[in-house]
Short mmCIF file of all heavy atoms in Angstrom, two decimals:
data_model
loop_
_atom_site.label_atom_id
_atom_site.label_comp_id
_atom_site.label_asym_id
_atom_site.label_seq_id
_atom_site.Cartn_x
_atom_site.Cartn_y
_atom_site.Cartn_z
N GLY A 1 245.01 394.95 69.45
CA GLY A 1 243.79 394.55 70.12
C GLY A 1 242.86 393.76 69.21
O GLY A 1 242.23 392.79 69.63
N ILE A 2 242.78 394.17 67.95
CA ILE A 2 241.98 393.43 66.97
C ILE A 2 242.58 392.05 66.74
O ILE A 2 241.86 391.05 66.64
CB ILE A 2 241.91 394.22 65.65
CG1 ILE A 2 241.12 395.52 65.84
CG2 ILE A 2 241.29 393.37 64.53
CD1 ILE A 2 239.65 395.33 66.18
N ALA A 3 243.91 391.97 66.68
CA ALA A 3 244.58 390.68 66.53
C ALA A 3 244.23 389.75 67.69
O ALA A 3 244.01 388.55 67.50
CB ALA A 3 246.09 390.88 66.43
N CYS A 4 244.16 390.31 68.91
CA CYS A 4 243.80 389.51 70.08
C CYS A 4 242.37 388.99 69.97
O CYS A 4 242.09 387.83 70.34
CB CYS A 4 243.95 390.34 71.34
SG CYS A 4 245.67 390.60 71.87
N GLN A 5 241.47 389.82 69.48
CA GLN A 5 240.08 389.37 69.35
C GLN A 5 239.95 388.24 68.32
O GLN A 5 239.19 387.29 68.51
CB GLN A 5 239.20 390.55 68.97
CG GLN A 5 239.07 391.58 70.08
CD GLN A 5 238.37 392.85 69.61
OE1 GLN A 5 237.35 392.81 68.94
NE2 GLN A 5 238.93 394.00 69.98
N MET A 6 240.69 388.34 67.23
CA MET A 6 240.71 387.24 66.26
C MET A 6 241.26 385.98 66.91
O MET A 6 240.73 384.87 66.72
CB MET A 6 241.61 387.59 65.07
CG MET A 6 241.11 388.66 64.15
SD MET A 6 242.28 388.79 62.77
CE MET A 6 242.02 390.49 62.31
N ALA A 7 242.37 386.13 67.66
CA ALA A 7 243.00 384.99 68.31
C ALA A 7 242.05 384.34 69.31
O ALA A 7 241.99 383.11 69.43
CB ALA A 7 244.28 385.43 69.00
N ASP A 8 241.28 385.15 70.04
CA ASP A 8 240.31 384.61 71.00
C ASP A 8 239.22 383.81 70.28
O ASP A 8 238.81 382.74 70.75
CB ASP A 8 239.67 385.74 71.80
CG ASP A 8 240.65 386.40 72.76
OD1 ASP A 8 241.67 385.78 73.09
OD2 ASP A 8 240.40 387.56 73.16
N ALA A 9 238.74 384.36 69.15
CA ALA A 9 237.72 383.64 68.37
C ALA A 9 238.27 382.31 67.87
O ALA A 9 237.59 381.28 67.92
CB ALA A 9 237.24 384.52 67.21
N ALA A 10 239.50 382.33 67.37
CA ALA A 10 240.12 381.10 66.86
C ALA A 10 240.34 380.10 67.99
O ALA A 10 240.03 378.91 67.84
CB ALA A 10 241.45 381.44 66.19
N ALA A 11 240.86 380.57 69.13
CA ALA A 11 241.15 379.66 70.25
C ALA A 11 239.88 378.99 70.76
O ALA A 11 239.88 377.79 71.06
CB ALA A 11 241.84 380.43 71.37
N ALA A 12 238.79 379.75 70.85
CA ALA A 12 237.53 379.17 71.32
C ALA A 12 237.01 378.13 70.33
O ALA A 12 236.52 377.07 70.73
CB ALA A 12 236.50 380.27 71.52
N ASP A 13 237.14 378.41 69.05
CA ASP A 13 236.67 377.47 68.03
C ASP A 13 237.53 376.20 68.02
O ASP A 13 237.01 375.08 67.89
CB ASP A 13 236.70 378.14 66.66
CG ASP A 13 235.73 377.49 65.68
OD1 ASP A 13 234.58 377.22 66.06
OD2 ASP A 13 236.14 377.23 64.53
N ILE A 14 238.83 376.37 68.19
CA ILE A 14 239.73 375.22 68.25
C ILE A 14 239.44 374.40 69.51
O ILE A 14 239.43 373.16 69.47
CB ILE A 14 241.20 375.67 68.22
CG1 ILE A 14 241.53 376.30 66.87
CG2 ILE A 14 242.14 374.50 68.49
CD1 ILE A 14 242.89 376.99 66.82
N ALA A 15 239.21 375.07 70.63
CA ALA A 15 238.91 374.37 71.87
C ALA A 15 237.64 373.53 71.73
O ALA A 15 237.59 372.37 72.18
CB ALA A 15 238.77 375.37 73.02
N ARG A 16 236.61 374.11 71.12
CA ARG A 16 235.37 373.34 70.89
C ARG A 16 235.64 372.15 70.01
O ARG A 16 235.19 371.04 70.26
CB ARG A 16 234.31 374.24 70.26
CG ARG A 16 232.98 373.51 69.97
CD ARG A 16 232.24 374.11 68.79
NE ARG A 16 233.03 374.07 67.59
CZ ARG A 16 233.14 373.01 66.81
NH1 ARG A 16 232.55 371.87 67.12
NH2 ARG A 16 233.86 373.06 65.70
N TRP A 17 236.41 372.38 68.93
CA TRP A 17 236.77 371.30 68.01
C TRP A 17 237.52 370.17 68.72
O TRP A 17 237.33 369.00 68.43
CB TRP A 17 237.63 371.89 66.89
CG TRP A 17 238.38 370.90 66.05
CD1 TRP A 17 237.94 370.25 64.94
CD2 TRP A 17 239.73 370.46 66.27
NE1 TRP A 17 238.92 369.42 64.45
CE2 TRP A 17 240.03 369.54 65.25
CE3 TRP A 17 240.70 370.77 67.22
CZ2 TRP A 17 241.26 368.91 65.16
CZ3 TRP A 17 241.93 370.15 67.13
CH2 TRP A 17 242.21 369.24 66.11
N ALA A 18 238.34 370.55 69.71
CA ALA A 18 239.14 369.55 70.43
C ALA A 18 238.35 368.83 71.51
O ALA A 18 238.86 367.90 72.14
CB ALA A 18 240.36 370.23 71.06
N GLY A 19 237.10 369.25 71.74
CA GLY A 19 236.26 368.55 72.69
C GLY A 19 235.99 369.28 73.98
O GLY A 19 235.31 368.76 74.87
N ALA A 20 236.50 370.50 74.12
CA ALA A 20 236.24 371.28 75.34
C ALA A 20 234.81 371.79 75.35
O ALA A 20 234.20 372.00 74.29
CB ALA A 20 237.22 372.44 75.44
N ASP A 21 234.29 371.99 76.54
CA ASP A 21 232.92 372.48 76.69
C ASP A 21 232.92 374.00 76.55
O ASP A 21 232.87 374.75 77.53
CB ASP A 21 232.37 372.07 78.06
CG ASP A 21 230.90 372.45 78.23
OD1 ASP A 21 230.25 372.75 77.21
OD2 ASP A 21 230.43 372.44 79.39
N VAL A 22 233.00 374.45 75.31
CA VAL A 22 233.12 375.87 74.98
C VAL A 22 232.12 376.20 73.88
O VAL A 22 231.97 375.43 72.92
CB VAL A 22 234.54 376.22 74.51
CG1 VAL A 22 234.62 377.67 74.07
CG2 VAL A 22 235.55 375.96 75.61
N THR A 23 231.45 377.34 74.01
CA THR A 23 230.60 377.84 72.94
C THR A 23 231.29 379.03 72.29
O THR A 23 231.34 380.12 72.87
CB THR A 23 229.22 378.28 73.47
OG1 THR A 23 228.60 377.16 74.12
CG2 THR A 23 228.34 378.79 72.33
N PRO A 24 231.87 378.85 71.11
CA PRO A 24 232.64 379.94 70.49
C PRO A 24 231.75 381.10 70.09
O PRO A 24 230.67 380.91 69.53
CB PRO A 24 233.26 379.28 69.25
CG PRO A 24 233.11 377.81 69.45
CD PRO A 24 231.89 377.62 70.29
N GLU A 25 232.19 382.29 70.41
CA GLU A 25 231.53 383.50 69.94
C GLU A 25 232.23 383.99 68.67
O GLU A 25 233.46 383.87 68.54
CB GLU A 25 231.58 384.61 71.00
CG GLU A 25 230.85 384.28 72.29
CD GLU A 25 229.34 384.20 72.12
OE1 GLU A 25 228.86 384.61 71.04
OE2 GLU A 25 228.67 383.74 73.05
N PRO A 26 231.50 384.53 67.73
CA PRO A 26 232.12 385.02 66.50
C PRO A 26 232.96 386.27 66.74
O PRO A 26 232.77 386.98 67.73
CB PRO A 26 230.93 385.33 65.59
CG PRO A 26 229.81 385.61 66.53
CD PRO A 26 230.02 384.71 67.71
N PHE A 27 233.88 386.50 65.86
CA PHE A 27 234.72 387.68 65.88
C PHE A 27 233.87 388.90 65.52
O PHE A 27 233.39 389.03 64.41
CB PHE A 27 235.86 387.49 64.88
CG PHE A 27 236.69 388.73 64.59
CD1 PHE A 27 237.23 389.48 65.61
CD2 PHE A 27 236.92 389.11 63.28
CE1 PHE A 27 238.00 390.61 65.34
CE2 PHE A 27 237.68 390.23 62.99
CZ PHE A 27 238.22 390.98 64.02
N ARG A 28 233.66 389.78 66.51
CA ARG A 28 232.91 391.02 66.30
C ARG A 28 233.83 392.15 66.75
O ARG A 28 233.87 392.50 67.93
CB ARG A 28 231.61 391.02 67.10
CG ARG A 28 230.56 390.04 66.56
CD ARG A 28 229.98 390.54 65.25
NE ARG A 28 228.96 389.64 64.71
CZ ARG A 28 229.18 388.74 63.77
NH1 ARG A 28 230.40 388.59 63.28
NH2 ARG A 28 228.20 387.99 63.32
N PRO A 29 234.60 392.72 65.83
CA PRO A 29 235.71 393.61 66.21
C PRO A 29 235.28 394.91 66.88
O PRO A 29 234.44 395.63 66.38
CB PRO A 29 236.40 393.89 64.87
CG PRO A 29 235.35 393.66 63.83
CD PRO A 29 234.51 392.55 64.37
N VAL A 30 235.90 395.17 68.02
CA VAL A 30 235.76 396.43 68.72
C VAL A 30 237.17 397.04 68.80
O VAL A 30 238.07 396.44 69.40
CB VAL A 30 235.18 396.26 70.13
CG1 VAL A 30 235.06 397.61 70.83
CG2 VAL A 30 233.81 395.57 70.06
N LEU A 31 237.35 398.18 68.20
CA LEU A 31 238.66 398.82 68.14
C LEU A 31 238.88 399.64 69.41
O LEU A 31 238.10 400.54 69.73
CB LEU A 31 238.75 399.71 66.91
CG LEU A 31 240.11 400.37 66.63
CD1 LEU A 31 241.19 399.32 66.41
CD2 LEU A 31 239.99 401.29 65.42
N ARG A 32 239.93 399.32 70.14
CA ARG A 32 240.30 400.04 71.36
C ARG A 32 241.70 400.59 71.18
O ARG A 32 242.63 399.83 70.89
CB ARG A 32 240.22 399.13 72.58
CG ARG A 32 238.83 398.58 72.87
CD ARG A 32 238.87 397.57 74.02
NE ARG A 32 237.54 397.11 74.36
CZ ARG A 32 236.94 396.04 73.82
NH1 ARG A 32 237.57 395.35 72.88
NH2 ARG A 32 235.73 395.69 74.18
N GLY A 33 241.88 401.87 71.38
CA GLY A 33 243.18 402.49 71.20
C GLY A 33 243.55 403.37 72.36
O GLY A 33 242.74 404.17 72.84
N LYS A 34 244.78 403.22 72.84
CA LYS A 34 245.31 404.06 73.91
C LYS A 34 246.38 404.94 73.28
O LYS A 34 247.48 404.48 72.97
CB LYS A 34 245.89 403.20 75.03
CG LYS A 34 246.42 403.96 76.23
CD LYS A 34 246.94 402.96 77.28
CE LYS A 34 247.49 403.66 78.50
NZ LYS A 34 247.98 402.67 79.51
N LEU A 35 246.05 406.20 73.05
CA LEU A 35 246.92 407.14 72.36
C LEU A 35 247.85 407.79 73.37
O LEU A 35 247.41 408.54 74.24
CB LEU A 35 246.09 408.19 71.63
CG LEU A 35 246.85 409.26 70.83
CD1 LEU A 35 247.48 408.65 69.59
CD2 LEU A 35 245.91 410.40 70.45
N LEU A 36 249.16 407.53 73.24
CA LEU A 36 250.14 408.14 74.13
C LEU A 36 250.46 409.54 73.62
O LEU A 36 250.70 409.75 72.44
CB LEU A 36 251.41 407.29 74.18
CG LEU A 36 251.22 405.83 74.63
CD1 LEU A 36 252.55 405.10 74.65
CD2 LEU A 36 250.54 405.77 76.00
N THR A 37 250.47 410.51 74.53
CA THR A 37 250.67 411.91 74.14
C THR A 37 251.88 412.55 74.81
O THR A 37 252.24 413.68 74.47
CB THR A 37 249.43 412.74 74.51
OG1 THR A 37 249.30 412.77 75.94
CG2 THR A 37 248.16 412.15 73.90
N GLY A 38 252.50 411.84 75.74
CA GLY A 38 253.53 412.45 76.57
C GLY A 38 252.96 412.98 77.87
O GLY A 38 253.68 413.19 78.85
N GLY A 39 251.66 413.20 77.91
CA GLY A 39 250.93 413.58 79.12
C GLY A 39 249.91 412.50 79.41
O GLY A 39 250.20 411.31 79.36
#
């Protein structure tokens, strides 16, 4: 999930650089975990 947030920050920055109408937001990591327990 953290890797995805970095990728989103990078993609938005690249899109802006390429000329898209995008305002990139900085990478502000929020850790989300789904712990599988068998139940």
Side-chain angles (χ1 to χ4, degrees):
I2 294 295
C4 285
Q5 292 171 45
M6 290 184 207
D8 291 339
D13 204 45
I14 293 171
R16 180 209 59 81
W17 165 87
D21 185 15
V22 175
T23 302
E25 297 292 349
F27 169 51
R28 289 288 181 262
V30 179
L31 185 61
R32 298 174 176 90
K34 183 179 180 180
L35 180 71
L36 302 180
T37 66

